[in-house]
Amino acid sequence: MNEIFPGPDLLNTSLVQLATLAALSSVSTATIACPALDMVAGGTVVEVTDGDTIVLNDGRVVRMIGTQAPKLPLGRDGFDTWPMGPEAKAALEVMVLNKTVQLGYGGEKIDRYDRQLAHVFVDTPDGPTWAQHAMVAMGLARVYSFPDNRQCLDLLFAAEGRARLSGLGIWRDPYYSVRAADAPGDLLTKAGHYELVEGRILHAEHRGGRAYLNFGRIWKQDFTAVIEAPGLKLFKAAGVDPLVLEGAFVRIRGWVDDRDGPRIEITHPKQLEVLATR
């Protein structure tokens, strides 16, 4: 289980700047703590699109990999602003706008939208500051990872745990509450949403080239986590057999769908945190 410590609450949007500055001071050694990144020069940030996307002076758009901030419509018809989306954008603006940054790559470098997929480090007089860590530490982003981009996540998980326990930022809002795996009816209402779900795995099995982690006795109605063949390869490479997790209390993060009850597909091991083995 991640070690968790309480911290100060982010009371309202008027404190965004103070909270941002406080977070900056706590993560200036991030490049030392996460040395596995391929560091390159970035440039000056000329625009902040939302709480996890920036634009550099050479026109490159950078998606801050490893995190998901509350989303904004950004011109999409029928898309509602997620709670605290404007606050997350404002905090990131305080942190990076008109400042020079370095980019750290830990996997795939460009996505299908031609955005750079990088960790962002802000140049400051006290050394580089890790923007992703600061946003998560303030409770203005969640950890969000991909099979081909999983560097530095343990540090982000620890920061998220502290923010969640302290009720910072998004963790005050029920929209972002951690869901209970044994409440499938509630989870069904979250289909299409990115959620954190906690519960005990009652049964784990391989079937049809997949692994199923069942959180209830009626698999067509209860919550299930599914690991397809590509994900199983990554579990094997990590030396983890998901079947040994039967009986464990875990936290799973991912997009909820509705296929034989509420379900999340696990594409790589970092989507699953073991909180207790029995």
Side-chain angles (χ1 to χ4, degrees):
M1 182 185 300
N2 291 332
E3 191 173 8
I4 298 173
F5 302 92
D9 197 3
L10 181 63
L11 295 176
N12 52 54
T13 57
S14 68
L15 294 181
V16 165
Q17 185 165 4
L18 290 176
T20 303
L21 295 174
L24 295 181
S25 67
S26 69
V27 294
S28 61
T29 60
T31 49
I32 299 173
C34 186
L37 300 176
D38 177 17
M39 299 297 299
V40 301
T44 301
V45 178
V46 297
E47 182 183 347
V48 172
T49 305
D50 57 22
D52 55 35
T53 310
I54 62 176
V55 182
L56 302 179
N57 60 309
D58 60 6
R60 283 181 295 171
V61 178
V62 181
R63 172 63 172 86
M64 292 167 52
I65 199 68
T67 60
Q68 181 197 64
K71 293 185 178 295
L72 299 172
L74 301 178
R76 291 172 286 190
D77 290 338
F79 191 99
D80 294 329
T81 298
W82 291 12
M84 298 206 70
E87 290 87 343
K89 178 182 178 182
L92 189 58
E93 285 175 336
V94 170
M95 195 184 312
V96 306
L97 191 59
N98 298 320
K99 297 176 183 176
T100 303
V101 299
Q102 309 297 316
L103 303 181
Y105 295 99
E108 286 295 315
K109 294 185 176 182
I110 298 176
D111 70 5
R112 59 180 175 170
Y113 305 108
D114 204 31
R115 300 179 299 184
Q116 303 292 306
L117 302 175
H119 292 270
V120 174
F121 296 88
V122 187
D123 291 336
T124 77
D126 298 321
T129 294
W130 187 9
Q132 274 97 323
H133 191 282
M135 292 294 289
V136 172
M138 289 186 291
L140 293 175
R142 294 180 287 189
V143 180
Y144 182 53
S145 59
F146 297 88
D148 54 12
N149 233 312
R150 292 175 282 152
Q151 292 292 342
C152 315
L153 293 179
D154 289 344
L155 294 168
L156 294 177
F157 281 131
E160 181 190 271
R162 292 190 291 269
R164 187 169 57 246
L165 185 64
S166 301
L168 303 183
I170 64 173
W171 304 112
R172 296 195 310 271
D173 194 306
Y175 187 89
Y176 301 100
S177 294
V178 178
R179 312 300 173 187
D182 61 359
D186 292 339
L187 283 171
L188 278 176
T189 68
K190 302 300 178 184
H193 290 229
Y194 184 81
E195 300 289 345
L196 275 63
V197 180
E198 290 183 358
R200 191 170 300 279
I201 299 172
L202 299 186
H203 181 62
E205 64 174 343
H206 281 299
R207 191 173 73 247
R210 305 176 180 88
Y212 293 89
L213 308 180
N214 298 308
F215 291 77
R217 302 297 180 188
I218 307 174
W219 62 270
K220 282 191 175 246
Q221 299 178 16
D222 292 316
F223 175 65
T224 304
V226 181
I227 310 172
E228 301 281 357
L232 286 174
K233 290 181 181 179
L234 294 179
F235 272 82
K236 183 176 181 180
V240 178
D241 179 1
L243 298 195
V244 306
L245 297 174
E246 185 169 299
F249 192 83
V250 301
R251 179 185 304 126
I252 293 171
R253 61 186 67 220
W255 295 93
V256 178
D257 63 39
D258 178 8
R259 295 175 62 181
D260 294 324
R263 190 187 80 150
I264 286 178
E265 181 183 349
I266 299 176
T267 62
H268 58 285
K270 290 293 187 180
Q271 277 181 260
L272 188 154
E273 300 168 80
V274 178
L275 305 180
T277 55
R278 288 290 185 272

